[in-house]
Amino acid sequence: MSPAWISVLCLGGYFLLPGPGSCEGAEGKSGALEATGRAVSTASPPAGKRQKKIPDKKAGNKDCKADIAFLIDGSFNIGQRRFNLQKNFVGKVALMLGIGTEGPHVGLVQASEHPKIEFFLKNFTSAKDVLFAIKEVGFRGGNSNTGKALKHTAQKFFSADSGVRKGIPKVVVVFIDGWPSDDIEEAGIVAREFGVNVFIVSVAKPIPEELGMVQDVGFVDKAVCRNNGFFSYHIPSWFGTTKYVKPLVQKLCTHEQMMCSKTCYNSVNIAFLIDGSSSVGDSNFRLMLEFVSNIAKTFEISDIGAKIAAVQFTYEQRTEFSFTDYTTKENVLAVIRNIRYMSGGTATGDAISFTVRNVFGPMRDGPNKNFLVIVTDGQSYDDVQAPAAAAHKAGITVYSIGVAWAPLDDLKDMASEPKETHAFFTREFSGLEQIATDIIRGICRDFLEAQQ
């Protein structure tokens, strides 16, 4: 009986192989590439057996959202043969990542004498297309100007036009065979300024006799996002690299560790506590909602980015939406516009306690920094000092904004330290528009101070 034939996708192309397929068997057919791929049987399933439901491959791995640039070494240091093995390893990593429309997106840059962007994030959203694009990349040669290429990638690769997504970690995986010919430390600084997480994959470290030719033996620690061991990865040689694929993929999919992506715009939770008492009035309430929208729209709202929540209060409290209800900016702004005015008394202290317990409580162990923005127009009928102190103790930074008859003492009692930069007052509701800019700047300032 003839064996079933298997269609195998490898970096070298498609191959038909008898029995269980792997690209190891196709290596002789594909040339120098040592590729592996997922075998796909062309045979029909046995009669009477139900086929398994196939997951949506187009969506990709939704648990691994990242925009990744592979910066490969195309210098004379690596040579043609190891260059092909490097492409093979990158292909394996791309396969395991689970590339898709809602998963990781990847692009590729080649470092040599001058950097070249081979393809952008937006060009391919399937693993198959990425593999063929990698296969087509030609060896350039020249010096290994990795620093020049890294700076170019940080500045030119990650743009909206090239397919970068808001609120998604930006990552560069830099492959270095031996050592770079130029200064990579400055490029690492530029990358961090652009919010890019730099990983260094070093292969074949310089031997003691070669150290005299290396400009800076500590180049890895100076280029990575953080010198904490997470962002550096060493592979002894380009041969037998399969076992190194999964650990690297696991690092690239751990978005909460992407420290250099964390900015005040994508790593904060902001809850708005909105006064819905009778003294506000419907038209002024609309101005308050406009103030909330003007702040919210500044931030990069997503399921792994900034999160927004809103609570309206009188004597009672109503959660308009929580941090996990809406994960796009468009949806958040739409629901803010549609908040209905309650009308009633003013119990700000109870509202603070309610928000800390019910809105921030579920986010207690999350990675984002927490902010509470309180907008009120009058005297609270209850104590605000103790509930605000409990919010501060829970790690929530509080901004208080008073309008018209709001007492300055209450505003200061509610606000975080220093009071002069966290408590604001305006006579008219129209003055909220100018305060919005101060709140955004303050949140970014507080976020940066907390990172240090």
Side-chain angles (χ1 to χ4, degrees):
M1 187 173 178
S2 300
W5 286 83
I6 307 294
S7 174
V8 182
L9 172 62
C10 307
L11 281 176
Y14 277 109
F15 301 95
L16 287 174
L17 301 172
S22 81
C23 293
E24 300 296 338
E27 189 172 349
K29 296 177 175 63
S30 64
L33 290 183
E34 172 211 352
T36 61
R38 291 176 181 170
V40 181
S41 175
T42 58
S44 300
K49 285 194 176 181
R50 185 179 296 176
Q51 286 182 280
K52 290 182 179 179
K53 188 176 180 182
I54 300 172
D56 183 7
K57 290 184 179 179
K58 289 184 179 179
N61 182 4
K62 296 179 183 179
D63 294 326
C64 182
K65 290 186 176 180
D67 287 340
I68 303 170
F70 292 113
L71 178 53
I72 63 173
D73 190 341
S75 69
F76 288 135
N77 270 11
I78 193 169
Q80 179 73 63
R81 185 187 183 201
R82 295 203 305 273
F83 179 76
N84 286 340
L85 293 174
Q86 176 187 218
K87 289 200 302 178
N88 172 60
F89 179 76
V90 172
K92 292 176 187 177
V93 173
L95 271 177
M96 188 170 282
L97 279 170
I99 296 165
T101 54
E102 298 179 49
H105 292 183
V106 304
L108 192 128
V109 183
Q110 184 174 174
S112 56
E113 195 72 40
H114 303 288
K116 181 186 178 185
I117 297 175
E118 302 288 354
F119 57 89
F120 287 99
L121 296 165
K122 67 179 181 181
N123 294 139
F124 309 107
T125 55
S126 76
K128 185 178 86 169
D129 292 338
V130 168
L131 286 179
F132 279 113
I134 293 171
K135 174 182 175 290
E136 294 299 314
V137 173
F139 176 60
R140 292 173 63 80
N143 288 323
S144 56
N145 290 330
T146 310
K148 182 178 181 180
L150 176 56
K151 187 185 292 186
H152 180 79
T153 304
Q155 294 174 329
K156 305 295 184 184
F157 182 87
F158 293 102
S159 67
D161 291 339
S162 69
V164 72
R165 297 168 289 177
K166 286 188 176 180
I168 303 296
K170 294 179 287 188
V171 178
V172 177
V173 184
V174 184
F175 293 91
I176 299 178
D177 186 286
W179 60 90
S181 303
D182 60 350
D183 177 28
I184 197 172
E185 181 179 5
E186 183 188 349
I189 294 170
V190 171
R192 289 191 288 274
E193 288 175 350
F194 277 81
V196 177
N197 298 273
V198 177
F199 285 79
I200 300 287
V201 178
S202 57
V203 185
K205 288 182 178 179
I207 61 176
E209 292 78 17
E210 296 171 328
L211 290 176
M213 296 181 282
V214 183
Q215 287 188 24
D216 187 351
V217 293
F219 66 86
V220 171
D221 292 342
K222 294 177 180 177
V224 291
C225 168
R226 293 286 189 276
N227 181 17
N228 59 5
F230 181 78
F231 294 92
S232 55
Y233 195 63
H234 179 64
I235 299 175
S237 81
W238 288 115
F239 298 93
T241 58
T242 301
K243 65 182 178 181
Y244 297 101
V245 174
K246 186 176 181 180
L248 179 58
V249 168
Q250 288 173 334
K251 284 174 178 275
L252 298 179
C253 292
T254 313
H255 67 78
E256 63 270 16
Q257 294 280 352
M258 302 296 182
M259 299 303 296
C260 289
S261 288
K262 293 183 181 295
T263 70
C264 63
Y265 298 108
N266 65 19
S267 299
V268 293
N269 300 323
I270 307 172
F272 293 92
L273 190 51
I274 308 165
D275 189 341
S277 62
S278 302
S279 56
V280 174
D282 190 68
S283 60
N284 287 331
F285 186 74
R286 293 295 125 194
L287 290 175
M288 292 171 75
L289 295 184
E290 191 175 317
F291 165 77
V292 171
S293 293
N294 286 339
I295 295 174
K297 70 183 182 184
T298 306
F299 294 87
E300 297 173 12
I301 301 167
S302 75
D303 55 344
I304 62 170
K307 293 177 175 58
I308 306 294
V311 174
Q312 185 179 173
F313 71 97
T314 56
Y315 282 141
E316 299 177 342
Q317 306 85 32
R318 185 172 76 197
T319 302
E320 303 294 352
F321 59 97
S322 68
F323 287 124
T324 55
D325 286 341
Y326 302 99
T327 56
T328 69
K329 185 179 298 187
E330 293 75 17
N331 288 342
V332 166
L333 295 179
V335 75
I336 291 172
R337 284 193 299 270
N338 292 322
I339 291 176
R340 293 177 292 105
Y341 176 44
M342 289 174 67
S343 187
T346 308
T348 314
D350 282 350
I352 294 172
S353 297
F354 174 89
T355 306
V356 170
R357 182 174 62 253
N358 296 291
V359 177
F360 285 104
M363 312 299 288
R364 188 177 297 112
D365 298 324
N368 288 5
K369 181 166 175 54
N370 293 318
F371 292 88
L372 174 61
V373 179
I374 304 169
V375 192
T376 181
D377 84 324
Q379 174 83 48
S380 177
Y381 289 101
D382 61 358
D383 173 59
V384 298
Q385 191 171 20
H392 302 158
K393 188 176 180 180
I396 302 166
T397 301
V398 179
Y399 283 85
S400 60
I401 299 95
V403 188
W405 307 108
L408 293 178
D409 286 345
D410 278 8
L411 297 178
K412 289 179 180 177
D413 284 342
M414 292 186 290
S416 292
E417 296 286 353
K419 305 293 186 182
E420 59 270 18
T421 58
H422 291 82
F424 296 85
F425 179 81
T426 176
R427 290 284 180 194
E428 305 290 339
F429 280 88
S430 57
L432 289 172
E433 184 177 357
Q434 290 181 320
I435 293 175
T437 302
D438 294 325
I439 300 298
I440 295 164
R441 287 174 181 166
I443 288 172
C444 283
R445 180 192 62 238
D446 291 338
F447 177 84
L448 289 173
E449 288 177 357
Q451 294 293 101
Q452 293 173 358

